[in-house]
DNA sequence: CCGTATCCGCGATGATACTG
DNA sequence: CAGTATCATCGCGGATACGG
């Protein structure tokens, strides 16, 4: 919580701090719940995946947005990236411990919505 | 996923359908995890709130985006809207049962990220 | 107090082409 | 296979003004 968070001293309500400040957590929340980030995290919940596997798993995503999302999530420490120096090169992505922590509620969110909105799907 | 596992038609893996279709659930997920929707849902988790209370609680949100987010979430059945025909009018928002179901994992997501990224915050 | 209506900049996103 | 680079666009979202 860098800088000076400014709150009304009289306000005793324990409001969420991130609502009011530029907190790093807010960025991570943004990345984890971003348009494509959430599907990347959910996809990797089941098993590690290669770049093209992620691209094929998440319909509609472009290579650009996939690469961009992956970079942000790696940066945040949610997923790891492993490069096999073969030809052709193989790059595998997977969830870190933090990433598993974060993707769990995302999967739960997704499941609850799916059960309610499209209970017959699957 | 080593050993050349491919996504072939013979693959019996039950992949998430919403990744591949225009599923209504995908829209709801989008609204619930939208830039402002997530904070609206988390804010209403503690107690029902009036319009201006939400506006003041969520720093940086404009009235336009708040109204827009609320409309989408009401439409999705995540929150209810109650109008008191007084002068001045009072409009209160709160979570439906579905909304509580959905906001729970969102709060969990938020807490886990906050604990990890800003463990001293609060 | 609780919104809606309108304008508009800008970043997110997609399409395409190219590289190691 | 796994990206990067570039460009065009599209709509999100902020500012402002107005209405019930």
């Amino acid at each position: 919580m860098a800088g000076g968070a400014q709150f009304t001293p009289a306000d005793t309500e324990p409001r969420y701090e991130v609502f009011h400040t530029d907190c790093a957590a807010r960025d991570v929340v943004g990345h984890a719940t971003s348009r494509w980030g959430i599907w990347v995290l959910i996809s990797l919940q089941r098993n590690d995946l290669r770049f093209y596997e992620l691209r094929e798993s998440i319909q509609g995503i472009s290579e650009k947005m996939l690469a961009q999302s992956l970079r942000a999530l790696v940066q945040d420490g949610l997923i790891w990236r492993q490069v096999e120096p073969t030809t052709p090169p193989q790059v595998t992505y997977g969830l870190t411990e933090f990433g598993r922590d974060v993707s769990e509620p995302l999967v739960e969110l997704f499941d609850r919505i799916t059960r309610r909105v499209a209970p017959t799907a699957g």
Side-chain angles (χ1 to χ4, degrees), chain A:
Chain A
M1 200 71 74
Q6 305 261 347
F7 304 123
T8 308
D11 188 358
T12 54
E13 292 250 337
R15 290 181 293 177
Y16 285 110
E17 310 294 332
V18 284
F19 288 20
H20 304 262
T21 61
D22 285 51
C23 181
R26 189 151 170 174
D27 290 335
V28 178
V29 171
H31 294 152
T33 64
S34 67
R35 178 170 182 191
W36 301 115
I38 181 173
W39 305 119
V40 170
L41 292 172
I42 292 179
S43 295
L44 292 176
Q45 171 106 1
R46 300 185 64 244
N47 42 260
D48 304 338
L49 292 174
R50 305 254 310 269
F51 185 87
Y52 80 96
E53 290 175 323
L54 280 166
R55 187 195 348 136
E56 291 173 4
S57 173
I58 306 170
Q59 192 178 52
I61 196 172
S62 64
E63 292 193 341
K64 173 185 167 183
M65 293 317 298
L66 178 56
Q68 188 173 310
S69 301
L70 287 170
R71 238 182 295 129
L73 295 173
V74 168
Q75 178 92 14
D76 291 341
L78 292 168
I79 67 180
W80 49 258
R81 178 188 133 110
Q82 185 187 11
V83 181
E84 291 288 338
T86 61
T87 52
Q90 295 194 357
V91 183
T92 307
Y93 295 91
L95 295 177
T96 63
E97 183 189 340
F98 182 26
R100 256 177 271 119
D101 269 3
V102 164
S103 59
E104 267 175 26
L106 287 180
V107 170
E108 184 63 25
L109 169 82
F110 170 66
D111 285 343
R112 292 186 180 193
I113 290 177
T114 303
R115 275 201 295 273
R116 177 89 176 212
V117 175
T120 61

